[in-house]
Amino acid sequence: GLALFYGGLGRTKNMLSVLMQVFVIFSVITILWAIYGYSLTFSGAGSFYGNLDKLFLRGIAPDTLSSALSTIPEYVFVAFQSTFAAITCALIVGAFAERMKFSAVMLFSVLWFTFSYVPMAHMVWGGGLLAQDGALDFAGGTVVHINAAMAGLVGAYLVGKRIGFGRESMAPHSLTLTMVGASLLWVGWFGFNAGSAGAANGVAGLAFINTILATGAATVAWIAGEALLKGKPSMLGAASGAVAGLVAVTPAAGLIGPMAAIVLGLIAGPACLWGVSGLKHMLRVDDAFDVFGVHGVGGIVGAILTGVFAAPSLGGTGAADFSIASQVWVQTYSVLITIAWSGIVSLIAYKLIDLTIGLRVSEEQERAGLDISAHGESAYRY
């Protein structure tokens, strides 16, 4: 779903390069997750990292239950969490698409997974620093979306703008495939959000319906805003709005009521529309597929508003003594930590790669397209 969503947004000559990056990142990260990522995230009680007690999945058997979600077998939990790690690393590629070396993309993914994804996941879900502070993140607002968005933003700056950016047309080559990708993402997101309940129970049902409602509301809100600003609602806007809603509801999915999910979507749609238009121009960055505008802005909106809508008085599942003010502060603090952590790790990783193998393809390769120059293939026959 992600590969098609991103691939459709690119130009014809770069379609396969986008598919390849997403597909291979997913494959590599799932292996690294089993070797050391799971252990460093979900075993041990450090503030930033766990320990290596479960290196190579040592000590896990078919009858072992997960300590983090004791309702399911640990192998199921390991597999489930591997998809979070893999998709988060793959999200980043949309920011620097169409101009970064395949080898550099893969090396960055390994470094960033090890030093940004794993510690952030441990801090929030593995009992680390932010978990101890009471941060709420049901299925990955900080861990997945803000984390990846910052890595993408830093990468877009350091890799530089595409040749011809702002002068040549860089319109999506297939909004049909982007819509197919968005639809697959929406269905797959039910697995992420409802699955984070760890059981087929009422919380999973709540996360499921919220994932429908927030996404629908954000889609409608985005195209309404687009129609007001540009005179026409677009398919690109509808697909982008859907992803904005999915991103925003992710941290809140099992913690807020259905009506709050609709409100959250109605806020996230216009916020991310501004993120890909106004904010993007302010930042003067070539974030090719609007990773920061959608995942960054949507993740921040969702993470902070989780602190509001989780209140029982607003239909949320928070405790009776839930304080909106104090929870919003914790949520904001967790957002700031994520931005700083991912930003610094990403900056160092990109710089190291640039000094060794280089980040960017040559001008000749970029003009020819990465499909042919990097992979020796074409997505389409002419």
Side-chain angles (χ1 to χ4, degrees):
L2 180 67
L4 290 175
F5 181 82
Y6 277 172
L9 293 174
R11 289 170 288 177
T12 307
K13 63 184 180 180
N14 296 311
M15 174 63 166
L16 287 181
S17 72
V18 176
L19 300 184
M20 183 77 169
Q21 288 172 19
V22 172
F23 200 79
V24 179
I25 285 171
F26 198 94
S27 303
V28 169
I29 298 303
T30 50
I31 296 168
L32 299 183
W33 179 254
I35 293 172
Y36 63 88
Y38 176 74
S39 184
L40 287 172
T41 304
F42 287 107
S43 69
S47 293
F48 304 105
Y49 279 98
N51 59 34
L52 295 174
D53 286 356
K54 294 188 176 178
L55 194 68
F56 302 109
L57 304 185
R58 185 172 57 208
I60 302 176
D63 59 353
T64 310
L65 292 178
S66 163
S67 57
L69 276 178
S70 57
T71 49
I72 57 174
E74 191 160 13
Y75 278 134
V76 175
F77 185 67
V78 174
F80 178 60
Q81 285 294 334
S82 76
T83 64
F84 281 87
I87 202 78
T88 304
C89 295
L91 282 175
I92 301 167
V93 307
F96 47 63
E98 303 194 303
R99 71 258 204 209
M100 193 161 162
K101 291 179 181 177
F102 181 70
S103 56
V105 172
M106 298 311 302
L107 182 53
F108 175 78
S109 299
V110 172
L111 291 172
W112 188 85
F113 163 73
T114 307
F115 297 106
S116 191
Y117 181 82
V118 168
M120 282 308 310
H122 177 74
M123 278 191 253
V124 176
W125 293 333
L129 181 71
L130 297 176
Q132 293 162 18
D133 291 339
L136 299 175
D137 190 349
F138 192 77
T142 50
V143 179
V144 175
H145 298 289
I146 301 171
N147 203 7
M150 274 307 297
L153 183 64
V154 174
Y157 276 119
L158 293 183
V159 178
K161 296 175 181 178
R162 288 169 288 181
I163 295 170
F165 180 74
R167 299 188 306 276
E168 301 171 12
S169 172
M170 296 188 178
H173 89 276
S174 178
L175 288 174
T176 304
L177 289 177
T178 292
M179 186 272 174
V180 173
S183 303
L184 288 169
L185 280 170
W186 196 342
V187 174
W189 227 286
F190 293 139
F192 281 128
N193 287 1
S196 291
N201 57 16
V203 176
L206 178 64
F208 195 109
I209 192 168
N210 285 343
T211 305
I212 295 174
L213 295 174
T215 310
T219 301
V220 172
W222 184 302
I223 62 168
E226 203 172 43
L228 287 170
L229 292 171
K230 300 178 182 177
K232 294 177 182 176
S234 70
M235 181 68 250
L236 175 58
S240 301
V243 175
L246 290 166
V247 170
V249 79
T250 293
L255 305 169
I256 67 174
M259 295 305 107
I262 294 174
V263 175
L264 181 57
L266 292 175
I267 294 169
C272 293
L273 175 57
W274 170 77
V276 306
S277 51
L279 178 63
K280 186 176 181 177
H281 292 306
M282 288 163 56
L283 294 173
R284 297 184 179 182
V285 64
D286 181 13
D287 179 353
F289 305 154
D290 294 311
V291 177
F292 192 81
V294 174
H295 294 274
V297 174
I300 291 167
V301 167
I304 293 174
L305 289 182
T306 297
V308 176
F309 293 131
S313 58
L314 297 175
T317 62
D321 61 349
F322 187 92
S323 164
I324 291 177
S326 60
Q327 191 63 49
V328 165
W329 162 243
V330 172
Q331 298 302 104
T332 304
Y333 164 74
S334 69
V335 166
L336 295 173
I337 291 286
T338 309
I339 289 171
W341 189 286
S342 180
I344 292 167
V345 168
S346 301
L347 180 65
I348 295 169
Y350 286 120
K351 286 292 187 184
L352 284 173
I353 294 166
D354 199 24
L355 290 170
T356 50
I357 62 172
L359 287 172
R360 191 164 179 153
V361 299
S362 69
E363 182 176 342
E364 183 183 0
Q365 290 172 318
E366 187 175 341
R367 289 193 185 280
L370 301 191
D371 289 5
I372 288 292
S373 64
H375 306 294
E377 302 171 297
S378 297
Y380 306 101
R381 292 190 179 191
Y382 301 99

